[in-house]
Amino acid sequence: RRNRHETTPPRKRHRGRPFLAGALALGLGASGLAYAKATNIIGADTAAFVVGSGVAAQTDELARATTVDTTYRAAASVSRNERRTAIAATGLRTAKELEAKQKKEAAKQAEKAREAAEKAERERERQRAIANAKEDPKSAARVLMADQGWTSDSQYNCLVNLWTGESDWRWWAENQSSGAYGIAQSLPARKMATFGSDYRTNPITQMKWGMWYIKMSYGNPCNAWSTWQARSPHWY
């Protein structure tokens, strides 16, 4: 039995074993390569790698995944390029600016459509009033006044008063003493022929001539009405 205070000498390491293992591995590798060359598995100058079926399957799967990824990236790139092209074409810098501009254009187009619809409705009302001029000449006159730029209620009221005093808005009215004729009491009646040969039966022709005469002589219906009131007997 050893004394517990006795020192155990260190064991000697066998340094030759790693070298032997390395040499053995190198020899086995060389033998395998020589056998492969001898049996024509690989060429004399080519290194051979035997790939198992599992590795081959993984390689195919990786190739398919790569193809899908490439296709997706290509599609995304096209989408980005189209967006960039659209942005560049408008001189804008971001998709947000492009969207804002598109909304603004849409609002502008909607406003144009609304204005066009209102204009079309006014034209329909105009045509209805003109077609009904014999039954309601005052409404037709209101429509025709806009052609002269007389759109205020005051000008309309002056015209109503003026022609009420002249003919009471009767298109067939004729002054027995002077021969003045129609709603506007043209003297002589044939003056209205410059606006249509139907001046004796068409209130529109009569009113068009009457408004032209007022504009040329007085500027507007209120001036003509004031002059009419100041004269005795009344005339304009």
Side-chain angles (χ1 to χ4, degrees), residues 26 88 174:
L26 182 61
E174 185 172 8

Side-chain angles (χ1 to χ4, degrees), residues 139-167:
S139 294
R142 187 83 189 241
V143 169
L144 296 176
M145 287 179 69
D147 297 340
Q148 304 296 331
W150 304 329
T151 57
S152 68
D153 290 340
S154 60
Q155 292 296 335
Y156 173 71
N157 291 332
C158 287
L159 185 67
V160 169
N161 292 333
L162 177 64
W163 284 350
T164 297
E166 283 289 308
S167 65

Side-chain angles (χ1 to χ4, degrees), residues 64-127:
R64 284 194 296 271
T66 301
T67 301
V68 171
D69 182 66
T70 301
T71 303
Y72 172 79
R73 289 176 180 273
S77 177
V78 170
S79 178
R80 287 194 300 271
N81 289 338
E82 289 177 349
R83 188 163 60 250
R84 289 180 185 138
T85 301
I87 293 171
T90 57
L92 301 176
R93 291 177 296 177
T94 65
K96 189 174 182 180
E97 289 178 346
L98 177 61
E99 183 181 1
K101 183 174 182 179
Q102 289 173 340
K103 287 182 178 179
K104 186 176 181 180
E105 288 296 327
K108 186 184 296 184
Q109 292 301 321
E111 179 64 17
K112 286 183 178 180
R114 185 187 64 79
E115 291 176 354
E118 290 179 353
K119 183 177 180 180
E121 179 59 26
R122 287 194 299 270
E123 182 59 26
R124 285 191 290 270
E125 291 178 356
R126 173 189 173 89
Q127 294 304 322

Side-chain angles (χ1 to χ4, degrees), residues 197-217:
S197 59
D198 57 351
Y199 63 89
R200 297 194 70 88
T201 58
N202 191 341
I204 297 298
T205 301
Q206 295 177 7
M207 289 188 289
K208 283 183 176 180
W209 176 85
M211 291 180 190
W212 169 83
Y213 172 74
I214 290 171
K215 192 167 190 176
M216 295 297 295
S217 302

Side-chain angles (χ1 to χ4, degrees), residues 25-45:
L26 182 61
L28 289 174
S31 299
L33 181 60
Y35 176 77
K37 288 181 178 180
T39 55
N40 292 323
I41 294 177
I42 58 175
D45 298 325

